[in-house]
Amino acid sequence: MIARLLVANRGEIARRVIRTCRTLGISPVAAFSRIDEKAPHVRDADLTVLVESYLDGPALVAAARAAGADAVHPGYGFLSENAGFAQAVQAAGLTWIGPPPEAIEAMGSKIAAKKLMADAGVPVLPELDPSAVDTFPVLVKASAGGGGRGMRIVRSAAELAGAVESARREAEAAFGDPAVFCEPYVEAGRHVEVQILADTHGTVWTLGERDCSIQRRHQKIVEECPAPGLVPAARRALWSAAERAARAIGYTGAGTVEFLLDPSGDFHFLEVNTRLQVEHPVTECVYGLDLVALQIRIAEGLALDAEPPEPRGHAIEARLYAEDPAAGWLPQAGTLHHFAVPGVDAEFAVPPHYGLRLDSGVEDGSVIGTQYDPMLAKLIAWAPTREEAARRLATALAGSRIHGVGTNRDLLVRALRDPSFLAGDVSTAFVSRPGLMDPLLDPADRPVAALAAALAGAVRRRASAHVQRGVPLGWRNNPSQLSSAVFSAPDGERIEVGYGLTRSGYSTSLGLAVSSARADLVELVRDGVVVPFSVAVVDEVSFVDSPWGSVALAEEPVFADPAEAVDPGSLRAPMPGTVIRVLAAEGSRVEAGDPLLILEAMKMEHPVLAPHAGLVASLHVTEGQQVEAGSVVAVIAAVIADPED
């Protein structure tokens, strides 16, 4: 029996494993990097051990032995699918919570895995040599990893060489293996996967299927169980193929067999994830199981029942990322000042009945950097029907208060409320649908939110005033003159609003009545309807939440600080990272959207694009240079037309 277990991971999955350890009576040990010294998963554990990197296998094994652990759980990502690490854990006399190293090794190369699955009778897409592709579109894929890293869609021969080079660099950085291959790209395909669970006594469970088709950058953002719209015969065929795949490699523990379902209904093997998946909670909710507990119990020798439990209801998971969907999904960094989701029934555990579950690796005050994946949390709704689950999940996300970093929350809500999604019409191209990138708060309503922020700010300043504190908010000797405030929205829009107090009540530049005004809550009346606006202020930024949507508004100073002035046309780094390639030269002409340089952050490449046409007046970075968010990387001078042209 396992008494103490080291979690060789961080964030949300580390907290998830620690939660199950508590349930089973196992003492959890947290490994942590210097960046994570104050992270929630460190506080959750009984013992903690500092390691330089979550990719340092020998250090993690040494940490487990130093803490007196007798088992290691790798979570997902990092070394979870590293056969060498699994072997090192076992060689140290520790229990490995995962499949045999031989099974990991068999699936470690996607190229070799496809051949093995084909021999087992599992349908696969043909592998194409990147140097000999002559039919497009194709998908370039990293052989050693997943999570969207090292993947590129290529639609013409002219794009192929650059895409392969970029994919190889990204694969090398993320997985230490630059090998890539190509396969036909299936337009509007569905990503459907089967959860498997196998013991060491020959029993293999297939726990239904999940649809993970809603993705960005080839990484999932919405997952659900069961997959909508599959006929019973298709389900049985998927489950049967997944079981054949598991038996072909002698699999034990929890894993996932992933398939691509094309528009004709045919499915093709993608890969076997030899670990727990990020989206495992939807299966847990539908089948009433703790998959982490079963992983541990199987490692202890548990024999599964002959058949798994029957499924019940429907579950949908949304991944909340610190990123900007409208800016090419650029990761966002900063301090998460406030994070609250309404109506949560359980954290890291299956709710006692249908309900809302939150698995989060962050809390108020967490610092979101660029060293790791930008996922903040997963929110899962479980209900008797798919429609009810989608409605509850969308409502909870829309009502969440997330202050400090930009997220994909609004896109998730729009996706969950989209008529096509509700009809089960999903594919890997779903996020390209018009309107999904639009914020929930209509830009036309931003001035109303700005008015609420201005009134709340005035109340706050009046309460802290040292003189004339008794003068009513907004009072002026000249009643016709309004106080004014100016804010800037995240996209740069400048918003000016005015407010004042007359003998008959508040007066506003928008013509709206003010029902009440406090430092944290302002109620405005429009068309007879009272709309509450919650306002929280951090460093002159007002985070305004309302039933209409949320927005962060930075109050502009009356006088600009000369030290903050930059040359016209200055292009700033969108995030901290490393400049790995400079693609433009000083004096060259660029068009809007041309890539100027490539930043690497979170093991992925992010091109920095020219915002408008012009000349590269100056470049402020070189390859290999570290840059901070907001630093000037280039100046693009507008081209002035010759009057004689």
Side-chain angles (χ1 to χ4, degrees):
M1 297 289 286
I2 295 169
R4 181 169 292 163
L5 181 149
L6 175 90
V7 185
N9 217 297
R10 66 179 300 276
E12 161 267 328
I13 186 56
R15 301 190 77 192
R16 168 72 187 87
V17 175
I18 290 171
R19 171 63 180 265
T20 287
C21 284
R22 297 291 185 203
T23 301
L24 296 179
I26 295 172
S27 175
V29 180
F32 69 96
S33 68
R34 296 184 186 278
I35 295 171
D36 282 338
E37 186 175 3
K38 297 182 179 179
H41 82 274
V42 178
R43 184 186 62 242
D44 290 349
D46 286 346
L47 301 174
T48 61
V49 186
L50 174 67
V51 295
E52 288 302 314
S53 169
Y54 299 104
L55 291 171
D56 189 339
L60 290 165
V61 172
R65 299 187 68 172
D70 46 14
V72 173
H73 194 300
Y76 51 69
F78 295 122
L79 296 177
S80 62
E81 295 181 280
N82 187 299
F85 180 53
Q87 290 167 343
V89 169
Q90 293 179 339
L94 306 172
T95 299
W96 168 252
I97 310 300
E102 296 77 14
I104 300 175
E105 185 71 33
M107 294 294 102
S109 164
K110 288 187 175 66
I111 296 172
K114 285 166 70 81
K115 295 176 181 175
L116 181 59
M117 291 298 108
D119 291 341
V122 179
V124 300
L125 285 168
E127 176 198 339
L128 306 175
D129 184 337
S131 65
V133 173
D134 57 6
T135 303
F136 296 89
V138 297
L139 184 64
V140 181
K141 300 178 72 171
S143 180
R149 293 175 173 86
M151 296 181 71
R152 302 288 188 275
I153 299 172
V154 180
R155 299 187 180 278
S156 70
E159 304 170 21
L160 184 60
V164 169
E165 179 188 356
S166 176
R168 282 178 173 153
R169 283 197 309 269
E170 200 167 84
E172 172 71 28
F175 314 117
D177 183 350
V180 299
F181 67 98
C182 296
E183 64 185 20
Y185 178 64
V186 178
E187 301 277 7
R190 289 177 61 182
H191 187 128
V192 180
E193 61 190 30
V194 178
Q195 175 71 56
I196 56 174
L197 193 69
D199 63 21
T200 57
H201 307 279
T203 300
V204 177
W205 281 359
T206 54
L207 296 170
E209 78 291 330
R210 299 184 287 249
D211 191 298
C212 309
S213 299
I214 300 183
Q215 306 176 1
R216 54 84 172 117
R217 298 187 66 160
H218 311 294
Q219 192 173 47
K220 308 158 190 173
I221 55 174
V222 176
E223 304 102 340
E224 58 183 307
C225 179
L230 291 186
V231 298
R235 281 199 165 90
R236 289 193 297 270
L238 281 167
W239 300 349
S240 177
E243 183 177 346
R244 289 199 301 276
R247 294 191 183 281
I249 57 175
Y251 201 87
T252 61
T256 304
V257 186
E258 301 196 349
F259 298 95
L260 183 65
L261 189 67
D262 67 28
S264 71
D266 293 333
F267 63 87
H268 312 275
F269 170 82
L270 288 175
E271 62 183 331
V272 175
N273 289 123
T274 54
R275 54 170 169 80
L276 202 65
Q277 289 280 81
V278 178
E279 58 272 19
H280 74 274
V282 293
T283 298
E284 290 188 318
C285 288
V286 169
Y287 282 85
L289 298 171
D290 182 335
L291 291 177
V292 176
L294 286 168
Q295 282 184 296
I296 294 171
R297 295 295 314 285
I298 286 171
E300 292 178 322
L302 171 74
L304 296 171
D305 293 338
E307 298 293 335
E310 290 295 317
R312 184 176 64 169
H314 200 99
I316 307 175
E317 172 182 290
R319 301 191 196 184
L320 188 67
Y321 281 97
E323 64 187 13
D324 184 353
W329 312 97
L330 283 175
Q332 304 293 290
T335 299
L336 186 64
H337 302 298
H338 186 50
F339 179 64
V341 180
V344 171
D345 298 297
E347 295 187 32
F348 302 105
V350 177
H353 196 53
Y354 298 112
L356 194 68
R357 166 177 165 175
L358 176 68
D359 286 14
S360 173
V362 298
E363 57 188 10
D364 291 3
S366 291
V367 177
I368 312 303
T370 58
Q371 297 84 1
Y372 303 118
D373 185 88
M375 188 175 75
L376 304 179
K378 306 177 312 197
L379 190 62
I380 306 98
W382 178 37
T385 67
R386 183 173 185 268
E387 293 75 15
E388 291 171 283
R391 180 171 60 192
R392 179 156 192 188
L393 184 54
T395 300
L397 283 167
S400 298
R401 297 184 179 180
I402 309 166
H403 302 161
V405 294
T407 73
N408 65 336
R409 183 264 304 275
D410 287 11
L411 177 136
L412 293 172
V413 174
R414 288 199 178 277
L416 292 164
R417 290 175 173 171
D418 187 276
S420 295
F421 172 82
L422 295 174
D425 179 14
V426 294
S427 76
T428 53
F430 188 88
V431 295
S432 63
R433 291 174 183 267
L436 286 185
M437 302 289 184
D438 295 343
L440 291 178
L441 181 67
D442 191 317
D445 291 324
R446 283 178 176 174
V448 184
L451 176 61
L455 289 166
V459 172
R460 187 176 64 257
R461 287 188 289 271
R462 174 56 57 203
S464 61
H466 297 293
V467 296
Q468 296 183 330
R469 187 176 297 176
V471 176
L473 168 67
W475 178 263
R476 305 182 76 87
N477 289 329
N478 181 357
S480 64
Q481 185 178 2
L482 299 178
S483 299
S484 63
V486 180
F487 298 89
S488 58
D491 61 0
E493 180 188 5
R494 188 173 182 273
I495 306 167
E496 183 172 1
V497 292
Y499 59 92
L501 185 66
T502 67
R503 290 180 174 82
S504 59
Y506 285 99
S507 175
T508 70
S509 59
L510 302 180
L512 300 178
V514 181
S515 177
S516 66
R518 302 200 318 252
D520 61 344
L521 180 68
V522 173
E523 294 180 323
L524 301 175
V525 184
R526 189 167 78 174
D527 299 329
V529 178
V530 179
V531 183
F533 292 84
S534 170
V535 182
V537 181
V538 180
D539 297 332
E540 303 304 318
V541 176
S542 295
F543 297 95
V544 185
D545 299 291
S546 76
W548 295 347
S550 304
V551 67
L553 298 168
E555 188 164 6
E556 295 187 0
V558 177
F559 301 104
D561 184 351
E564 296 183 357
V566 296
D567 293 333
S570 292
L571 181 61
R572 297 178 183 268
M575 74 190 86
T578 303
V579 178
I580 62 171
R581 291 193 71 192
V582 176
L583 304 173
E586 289 189 359
S588 62
R589 184 183 179 107
V590 294
E591 300 298 327
D594 284 353
L596 302 179
L597 54 97
I598 297 176
L599 283 179
E600 183 185 75
M602 301 180 186
K603 303 296 184 183
M604 296 191 76
E605 296 185 2
H606 306 277
V608 177
L609 309 179
H612 54 76
L615 294 177
V616 180
S618 60
L619 280 170
H620 295 234
V621 295
T622 58
E623 291 185 2
Q625 181 177 338
Q626 298 279 335
V627 296
E628 296 298 323
S631 60
V632 176
V633 297
V635 176
I636 311 299
V639 178
I640 301 175
D642 189 330
E644 295 183 2
D645 286 349

